[in-house]
Amino acid sequence: MVELTIDGKTVSVPDGSMVMHAANELGIYVPHFCYHKKLSIAANCRMCLVEVEKAPKALPACATPVTQGMVVHTNSEKAKAAQEAVMEFLLINHPLDCPICDQGGECQLQDLAVGYGKSASRYKEEKRVVMHKSMGPLVSAEEMSRCIQCTRCVRFGQEVAGQMELGMLNRGEHSEITSFVGKAVESELSGNMIDICPVGALTSKPFRYSARTWELARRRSVSPHDSLGTNLVVQVKGDQVMRVVPFENEEVNECWISDKDRWSYEGLNVEDRLTVPMVRDENNVWRETSWQDALKVATDALQQIATHDGPEYIGALTSETSTLEELALLKRLFNGLGSANVDSLLRNNDANFARAFQGAPWLGMPIADLDTVDGVVVIGSYLRKDHPLMAQRLRQVAKRGARIVLIDSYGEDPLFPISARLTVAPSQLANTVDAVAKAVVAQKAGQQVDMADPVQVLASHLVGGTKPAVFLGNAAVAAPDASQIVAKAQDLAQAYDATLGFLTAAANTVGAYIVGAVAQGDGLSAKQMVDNQLKAYVVLHAEPKFDIENGLQAEKTLANAFGIALTSYKSAASSWAKVMLPVAPFTETSGTFINAEGRVQSFKGVVASQGQSRPAWKVLRVMGNLLQFSGFEQESSEQVRDELVGTSVAAKLNNKVNVIGQEVRRGEAETGLERVAEVSIYRTDAVVRRAESLQATEISKAPKARLNANTLASMQVAIGDKVRVKSANGSAEFVVEADNDLADGTIRLAQGFDETAVLGNSYARLTVERI
């Protein structure tokens, strides 16, 4: 430790720290622009000049290493004169457009100009003009004349997002930040560039010119879009969500949020919102009705079918984005009806998967501990897109030397250094993990590594390490042989002396296990409920066409039964439901999510409900009252939560798996290409799918049929050809694109699109013919 004095106060900091770090320890503010605690030091702006005794001139606090006995003055005449001189230079070319700048009121330059700027400028020359840049549908760079070349955005791309999408051209006063060859910024974390821009050079394109910062009320919330549980500040004007920014929480999301969390709010205020209860009449026509009548139709139908046909003929399909309270009351409602058919794992293809667990599968460690792992195996995950901020944490440890290996079917670049990788067909995932586990055991016993065997080479990276981990992603959990994949991963973790964890799929996957809203015991899984026609279904927050495996078939099954939809959107249910009940999205209700690490996070609604929509937990409570079931007397969501959680959550987290049933053999007698089908990042849930700006991004365009060179050659198909892709469910036409990261005999076509919905299951066999 090094001891120094700043403004008369003594502080000790680790050797190698900068003066800025020591000042922050004391809570002393040093003005700055280019310095950011999460980015490397650039020392571009010179705004943080301070006086260091015995130094001939002022030094930048962000780039001056501390020394024993150093004496620093941040507010002396010498320091202030240096800081004021820098501010004068920064303002030479800066345009005076605060009245129309979206950053006005949140601008570091504006704030510091008040304290360190002069009332007039000595420079009379014309200000320079920098032409605007096109950076895609999310980030606006229309006023790059405001840029002060702090390079925060450039460093963020390189160091945090993992891709250098912006850079600086030219020198001196001709310097400017630009994207490469006019490309759009496409990182899944690009919106954070807006937050860290200290001026108004980068702003939010969807939010642009829609409100001033002082008009907005700020309310805390929790993201429903992935398993991290990102902490949000939702900014509201009247009863409309206008903007979403991060709430800093080092233990969860640090100071970042993903673009999906930032811009999905656009899907909250679309014309498709269901705001009035609706019932389909005897002529098959939708008509609006009162809540009382709609609930009576729904509960009478459930009661009648449970009594006359049996409770086993009713089922509930619910999204993993549903709150803990909603899932608990839905489960309680079905317990009252006598049915165990409640499942939220809508994409899972293994009916025995949930039954194989003794508790709730979870990350296996706190999220913050991802910063300290030194060896990682990630199995079956489209890491960057499924879990953007967890991938960001792994990126940082990879840069510090952690050995990360990937076993998957995507072959996608994770944008960080990896030690080894095996990209295999989905049917070979379990066998590959098993082979790696056995190779690790053999190598620990002294077997020499065969450098010609990729399995043994990968296994050689899994020997040693003080804090290793094995993580299973969404593709591994959703596979038809998921139980076997997890069992083999358990063996691998044991061989590697590693923690086994799950990068759980959605905001409340862990919560769904804890309240029993998964297919355990005698209950049918979502796949079984769709494959075996029931008489009635209750569907909560899900859009079957896109949220359930083989979505079109699911809609047909639901249409042949009495379908009750608790939904925020008309188009999510109008083709199959008999009753549509308008329920609130996460911004209009209170509730609780339990994230991947088992952290219980509650939130309140930030705006009033639209029209007659109501929180889903209240709707389910009233349905329980109408059916005269006990356990539906709560007055608030907090009452429901307190009945469910407390000290009990940690005790229910358990990744140990006991495989049920026979081992599934896949791929041996089947023909055709194996489908590799991720769920596209901006197609994961109903709210995100309706966010216009996210749907305008490159990744949300209709997918192409991606095959590797060997597969293309064997089929005599060329890049750019139009092909017809067929499955047992239907066929569709796609343009061919080369993807040499894929395994032989596979074809990659994303889920979540109208164009691919006709092909059915994510793990279907497909045939390809050139048109």
Side-chain angles (χ1 to χ4, degrees):
M1 299 292 283
V2 176
E3 188 176 280
L4 68 156
T5 303
I6 303 180
D7 291 347
K9 298 177 181 176
T10 302
V11 64
S12 293
V13 291
D15 194 18
S17 298
M18 301 296 162
V19 171
M20 182 72 83
H21 300 142
N24 289 341
E25 281 289 314
L26 289 170
I28 294 171
Y29 178 73
V30 180
H32 61 273
F33 294 112
C34 68
Y35 171 79
H36 190 280
K37 63 183 179 180
K38 296 289 183 182
L39 302 176
S40 63
I41 291 167
N44 286 351
C45 70
R46 319 306 281 184
M47 190 65 213
C48 63
L49 292 174
V50 294
E51 180 184 356
V52 178
E53 288 189 5
K54 300 181 182 177
K57 58 183 179 180
L59 299 176
C62 70
T64 302
V66 297
T67 58
Q68 188 66 34
M70 176 184 273
V71 179
V72 179
H73 304 283
T74 68
N75 206 27
S76 65
E77 287 300 317
K78 185 175 182 179
K80 287 176 68 177
Q83 291 161 358
E84 287 172 1
V86 169
M87 177 58 72
E88 187 173 16
F89 278 112
L90 286 174
L91 294 177
I92 287 173
N93 280 307
H94 198 80
L96 288 173
D97 54 4
C98 299
I100 56 105
C101 178
D102 270 351
Q103 203 88 328
E106 299 174 319
C107 174
Q108 273 182 266
L109 183 65
Q110 197 177 49
D111 293 341
L112 292 178
V114 172
Y116 299 91
K118 292 182 167 55
S119 58
S121 173
R122 290 182 288 169
Y123 292 85
K124 304 302 180 186
E125 292 81 9
E126 287 187 16
K127 293 183 183 290
R128 75 170 187 155
V129 174
V130 180
M131 291 303 294
H132 67 268
K133 310 291 189 299
S134 177
M135 292 188 183
L138 302 177
V139 178
S140 172
E142 294 294 310
E143 286 90 11
M144 289 306 288
S145 296
R146 299 171 184 163
C147 179
I148 60 171
Q149 285 83 45
C150 70
T151 69
R152 279 187 180 184
C153 56
V154 177
R155 285 175 285 144
F156 173 84
Q158 287 178 290
E159 298 165 16
V160 180
Q163 52 192 139
M164 188 174 176
E165 296 184 290
L166 300 180
M168 183 181 285
L169 295 178
N170 306 321
R171 301 181 67 185
E173 73 163 326
H174 301 294
S175 299
E176 57 182 272
I177 302 292
T178 185
S179 60
F180 290 100
V181 293
K183 282 188 67 176
V185 173
E186 294 171 5
S187 164
E188 61 278 2
L189 302 175
S190 66
N192 294 290
M193 293 178 180
I194 297 165
D195 293 335
I196 62 175
C197 180
V199 294
L202 299 178
T203 53
S204 169
K205 190 168 280 188
F207 172 74
R208 187 173 156 81
Y209 296 150
S210 60
R212 302 314 304 258
T213 180
W214 50 85
E215 297 177 293
L216 302 174
R218 289 158 175 78
R219 293 160 187 167
R220 285 193 59 184
S221 191
V222 178
S223 166
H225 301 306
D226 64 32
S227 63
L228 190 76
T230 300
N231 290 203
L232 309 175
V233 175
V234 182
Q235 299 185 352
V236 174
K237 182 179 179 181
D239 274 334
Q240 187 166 345
V241 175
M242 303 298 291
R243 186 166 59 168
V244 175
V245 295
F247 181 88
E248 186 171 345
N249 185 338
E250 281 296 317
E251 295 180 336
V252 181
N253 55 294
E254 302 175 87
C255 55
W256 316 121
I257 59 173
S258 69
D259 289 357
K260 179 162 63 170
D261 294 332
R262 185 181 300 272
W263 282 295
S264 62
Y265 72 86
E266 286 189 301
L268 299 171
N269 301 305
V270 292
E271 289 185 16
D272 192 33
R273 276 294 299 270
L274 177 67
T275 56
V276 180
M278 301 185 78
V279 173
R280 196 189 295 268
D281 64 20
E282 58 276 7
N283 297 318
N284 210 30
V285 175
W286 284 107
R287 61 179 177 82
E288 296 181 359
T289 187
S290 66
W291 267 107
Q292 184 177 1
D293 289 346
L295 288 171
K296 187 172 189 321
V297 171
T299 53
D300 284 354
L302 290 175
Q303 184 82 287
Q304 185 176 2
I305 292 168
T307 302
H308 290 91
D309 298 288
E312 67 272 18
Y313 284 97
I314 58 175
L317 301 167
T318 174
S319 169
E320 294 165 90
T321 61
S322 303
T323 66
L324 193 73
E325 294 81 356
E326 293 163 357
L327 294 174
L329 291 176
L330 180 65
K331 178 70 174 175
R332 200 171 293 175
L333 182 74
F334 269 65
N335 286 344
L337 291 165
S339 174
N341 300 333
V342 179
D343 194 12
S344 59
L345 308 179
L346 303 184
R347 296 194 186 277
N348 283 27
N349 287 277
D350 184 347
N352 288 321
F353 182 76
R355 296 183 181 94
F357 285 92
Q358 298 176 356
W362 66 300
L363 189 62
M365 63 178 68
I367 289 167
D369 281 8
L370 292 175
D371 297 344
T372 61
V373 292
D374 58 1
V376 179
V377 184
V378 182
I379 301 168
S381 179
Y382 188 18
L383 195 58
R384 274 176 48 216
K385 305 299 185 182
D386 291 344
H387 307 96
L389 291 173
M390 290 194 201
Q392 189 279 130
R393 285 189 186 263
L394 291 179
R395 184 172 296 118
Q396 304 313 313
V397 295
K399 283 160 41 179
R400 293 196 292 269
R403 290 176 295 180
I404 300 182
V405 302
L406 307 179
I407 305 172
D408 66 351
S409 301
Y410 300 118
E412 195 79 20
D413 183 0
L415 300 180
F416 56 72
I418 56 175
S419 298
R421 179 178 212 151
L422 289 172
T423 301
V424 298
S427 65
Q428 296 305 307
L429 206 53
N431 292 338
T432 303
V433 176
D434 186 39
V436 172
K438 289 173 179 171
V440 171
V441 172
Q443 288 175 23
K444 280 190 169 182
Q447 178 183 300
Q448 290 296 310
V449 179
D450 178 1
M451 298 306 292
D453 183 349
V455 169
Q456 289 199 36
V457 172
L458 183 139
S460 69
H461 293 281
L462 307 184
V463 178
T466 58
K467 192 172 182 181
V470 174
F471 295 125
L472 287 129
N474 297 359
V477 167
D481 55 347
S483 298
Q484 274 78 37
I485 294 172
V486 175
K488 307 302 184 190
Q490 188 171 250
D491 294 341
L492 175 57
Q494 190 172 355
Y496 188 21
D497 296 323
T499 301
L500 178 66
F502 290 80
L503 304 170
T504 54
N508 208 24
T509 305
V510 176
Y513 277 89
I514 285 175
V515 301
V518 294
Q520 295 176 321
D522 297 328
L524 298 177
S525 70
K527 188 174 189 305
Q528 289 171 322
M529 282 188 250
V530 170
D531 291 345
N532 301 289
Q533 181 73 58
L534 304 183
K535 299 285 186 180
Y537 295 88
V538 175
V539 180
L540 171 62
H541 286 312
E543 188 170 7
K545 183 177 181 180
F546 300 119
D547 290 334
I548 300 178
E549 283 293 299
N550 204 351
L552 293 179
Q553 179 58 46
E555 287 195 325
K556 289 178 185 176
T557 302
L558 293 168
N560 289 331
F562 193 93
I564 301 166
L566 283 74
T567 179
S568 302
Y569 301 100
K570 288 176 276 193
S571 63
S574 58
S575 64
W576 55 266
K578 301 296 187 290
V579 179
M580 291 195 294
L581 304 175
V583 296
F586 80 105
T587 51
E588 298 168 20
T589 185
S590 56
T592 303
F593 295 136
I594 302 180
N595 73 354
E597 67 175 355
R599 181 184 293 261
V600 179
Q601 298 188 108
S602 294
F603 57 92
K604 294 187 178 294
V606 297
V607 290
S609 296
Q610 288 194 23
Q612 296 181 36
S613 61
R614 297 289 182 267
W617 73 266
K618 287 188 177 181
V619 176
L620 291 164
R621 185 200 62 192
V622 173
M623 290 175 74
N625 291 335
L626 290 173
L627 290 165
Q628 299 182 339
F629 296 153
S630 61
F632 291 87
E633 297 80 31
Q634 303 84 359
E635 292 295 323
S636 68
S637 64
E638 288 79 10
Q639 279 183 268
V640 184
R641 178 199 63 201
D642 293 343
E643 293 170 7
L644 301 166
V645 300
T647 57
S648 61
V649 170
K652 293 178 179 177
L653 302 176
N654 190 340
N655 286 335
K656 186 169 178 57
V657 65
N658 296 315
V659 177
I660 298 170
Q662 304 238 332
E663 185 163 336
V664 178
R665 294 284 178 187
R666 295 180 57 204
E668 292 174 0
E670 297 174 288
T671 58
L673 301 177
E674 285 193 53
R675 183 178 180 185
V676 176
E678 78 279 9
V679 180
S680 182
I681 184 172
Y682 302 139
R683 310 287 297 179
T684 52
D685 61 66
V687 177
V688 174
R689 283 190 286 269
R690 289 164 176 80
E692 184 180 353
S693 297
L694 293 178
Q695 299 315 314
T697 60
E698 189 69 28
I699 198 169
S700 285
K701 290 183 179 176
K704 294 181 179 180
R706 297 164 68 172
L707 305 101
N708 75 11
N710 291 340
T711 309
L712 285 171
S714 68
M715 303 177 64
Q716 298 183 330
V717 173
I719 299 167
D721 284 354
K722 201 165 188 181
V723 294
R724 182 173 290 107
V725 180
K726 293 182 180 178
S727 72
N729 293 84
S731 66
E733 296 178 3
F734 301 95
V735 174
V736 170
E737 184 175 71
D739 187 345
N740 289 324
D741 293 322
L742 294 174
D744 289 349
T746 64
I747 176 171
R748 184 170 169 183
L749 276 166
Q751 284 281 36
F753 293 90
D754 284 307
E755 293 84 354
T756 58
V758 69
L759 299 176
N761 193 283
S762 297
Y763 298 87
R765 288 277 176 161
L766 305 177
T767 58
V768 176
E769 59 183 41
R770 190 167 61 180
I771 297 174

